[in-house]
Every structure is written in C-alpha cells, then in structure tokens.
Amino acid sequence: MSDPYADHVTSTVEPAPDFSFVRRPKWIISHVLVTALVIAMLIAGIWQINRHFERVERNDVIATRAQQDPVLLASIAPPGTDPEVGESEQYRRVSATGEYRTEDEVLIRNRTLDGSPGWWVLTPFVTNDGWAVAVNRGWIPRSFEADAPRPGTEPASGRVEIVGTVQPARTAEGFQVADPADGILPTLGRPDVARLAQQVDYEMSPVVVRIDPDSVDATALPTPLSLPPLDAGPHISYAVQWFIFSTIALIGYPLILRRVSRGKASSAPG
C-alpha cells in the first residue's frame, strides 16, 4: 500500500547547497577583495598594538627624564654632533647660558594649540661658547604676522640661562613640501635646524630645545609647549575594533556564501 504522505515528505527535503558558483570570475574577485580587506584590518590592528607599546616606552622615557636634573646642552649636542642625537636624547632636560637672537627668529607654520591655529616661535639662542641652538619658545596665535613686529612675544633680553627638553629637528618627509633651498625665510614648515643654519652666521646644535614651561612665564606669549600626556592613548581600543571587524568578515563572508549557495540550489530545476 502506498504512503499518502510520501510526496509531501519528499518535497520538504532541503536541497544540498550548490557552491559551484564560487569558482566564477566575479566571485573569485570577491574572495580576493575580502581576503585583502581582512589582511589589511589585521595589519592595522597589529600596528595599533605596536603603537601602544611604543607609547608606553615613550612614557617611561619621559617620566624618567623629567625627574633628572638638567645637563649642559654642550655635553650632548654641540655643533657637529650626529643629528640622530635628537632622537636618542629626546626629552632629556638640558640647560645653556647665552643670549637670544630675535633678529634670526623664524615661525613654524600650521601649529595648533587647543584647536586654535597659529605658529611655533623658533628663536636661535647663542651660547657662551659662540654657537647656537634653536629654541622652541612656544605657540602664538595666527593673528601674528611672520613679516611684522610681534609685540609682547619677545624673550628675556641679555645673557640668561634657559632650561628645556631636547627635541629632534624635522625635515620634509614623504609628500610634504620642502621649504625653498635659497633665501632668508621668515617661516618654515617644520623645525628644520639645517635650513635655519643656512641663514645665520654662527654654528648650530643639531637639535631643538623646547623651553620648559616652569622656567618661563606660562601666562605670557608665546605659550610654552607641555610634554606629551603620559596616558596609554587610544591604540588598544583601535586595535580591538580592527580585530572585531576582521572577525565579522571571517565569519560573515562564509555565511553569505552559504546563503547564496542555498538560494541557487533551491532555484535549480528539480
């Protein structure tokens, strides 16, 4: 005797997924793009983790060197020293005695403070030994003009002692536009000591000294620049986000392929 429900049972059996479409050119392109995207997100996550550990290491250096007494700038970065000293001795507290040369002062373009546009003031400081160092005296608002007097921003006159932290000089990198090689420039794109040295008549240290806010009047212009904050930054949270996106792609894409395969199997002629 025939089973009256046989046809019904047979009709409800789910067809096997059809994955033959995954070998088609447009889907191969899709696989490559998704794979490249996942790899890129994983690399971004790993890069953020590396940035986190670099920041932790930098914070340790700043915290340690901030507790040390200033050393004479002449003992670590006189003229002729390898410019890499700016990196190896970054955040080292230093001191020097001499006199500012405001007539050779330059402004560093496109610098912000608390979201406000302005300049950094880079003033040569000629030491008792006859050579100079570029001192980053701080930030002034964009309302000041590079080629006009800047009343109220003058440094202490006469022979004084300065205290600050070592910072590396910077030059144009990658797609950055370099400053003109010739002429006397009132502004620079970066604190480029080598370029500044071209337009003064004394030798210069290869580093920049960022003036210590505690050694000057912090309420007057230029506003002295503080050291970077000693926090961990957002790098770990960014890394977690990239890894989450990667996981979503790794799980979600196969599910999409499975759904498409089922749709193709269901639409195939029986």
Side-chain angles (χ1 to χ4, degrees):
M1 181 176 180
S2 62
D3 185 349
Y5 298 102
D7 292 342
H8 174 72
V9 172
T10 302
S11 64
T12 58
V13 174
E14 184 176 345
D18 179 11
F19 285 100
S20 61
F21 71 95
V22 300
R23 297 187 296 273
R24 295 175 183 171
K26 69 176 183 179
W27 282 100
I28 291 175
I29 294 174
S30 175
H31 307 334
V32 171
L33 291 177
V34 170
T35 300
L37 180 62
V38 169
I39 292 174
M41 290 188 293
L42 290 173
I43 291 174
I46 293 171
W47 182 79
Q48 289 291 348
I49 289 177
N50 290 335
R51 291 285 293 122
H52 167 77
F53 286 112
E54 288 173 0
R55 184 155 182 161
V56 169
E57 182 179 358
R58 183 208 66 180
N59 290 348
D60 290 342
V61 170
I62 294 175
T64 299
R65 293 182 173 177
Q67 302 302 317
Q68 297 173 343
D69 292 332
V71 300
L72 291 176
L73 178 64
S75 67
I76 61 172
T81 306
D82 188 329
E84 288 299 316
V85 70
E87 298 288 351
S88 62
E89 297 295 336
Q90 189 170 12
Y91 308 117
R92 177 80 65 192
R93 299 184 70 223
V94 295
S95 65
T97 302
E99 188 172 353
Y100 283 108
R101 290 286 185 88
T102 54
E103 64 271 23
D104 296 327
E105 186 173 271
V106 295
L107 300 184
I108 309 301
R109 301 186 296 270
N110 303 322
R111 305 296 158 170
T112 60
L113 183 67
D114 297 330
S116 299
W119 316 85
W120 284 351
V121 181
L122 205 67
T123 310
F125 183 83
V126 178
T127 70
N128 289 344
D129 296 321
W131 51 269
V133 61
V135 177
N136 186 339
R137 296 198 293 118
W139 177 91
I140 57 175
R142 187 64 182 83
S143 56
F144 285 95
E145 298 293 338
D147 53 358
R150 295 183 285 274
T153 68
E154 301 87 353
S157 60
R159 195 162 299 280
V160 296
E161 180 182 30
I162 62 168
V163 176
T165 53
V166 171
Q167 300 298 315
R170 298 298 185 195
T171 58
E173 298 177 344
F175 293 104
Q176 295 177 339
V177 178
D179 291 303
D182 300 318
I184 304 298
L185 305 180
T187 71
L188 297 173
R190 287 148 294 278
D192 186 346
V193 171
R195 181 61 185 85
L196 177 58
Q198 291 180 211
Q199 55 191 55
V200 298
D201 58 1
Y202 36 80
E203 292 186 294
M204 296 199 66
S205 167
V207 304
V208 174
V209 170
R210 179 164 50 185
I211 202 72
D212 187 338
D214 293 334
S215 68
V216 295
D217 182 359
T219 64
L221 291 175
T223 302
L225 305 177
S226 300
L227 290 172
L230 300 182
D231 56 55
H235 303 297
I236 289 297
S237 62
Y238 289 163
V240 170
Q241 291 176 22
W242 284 120
F243 291 144
I244 289 175
F245 295 154
S246 301
T247 302
I248 291 173
L250 289 171
I251 295 175
Y253 189 62
L255 292 177
I256 292 174
L257 295 179
R258 183 172 178 81
R259 177 175 295 181
V260 172
S261 71
R262 285 180 174 178
K264 290 184 177 296
S266 298
S267 62

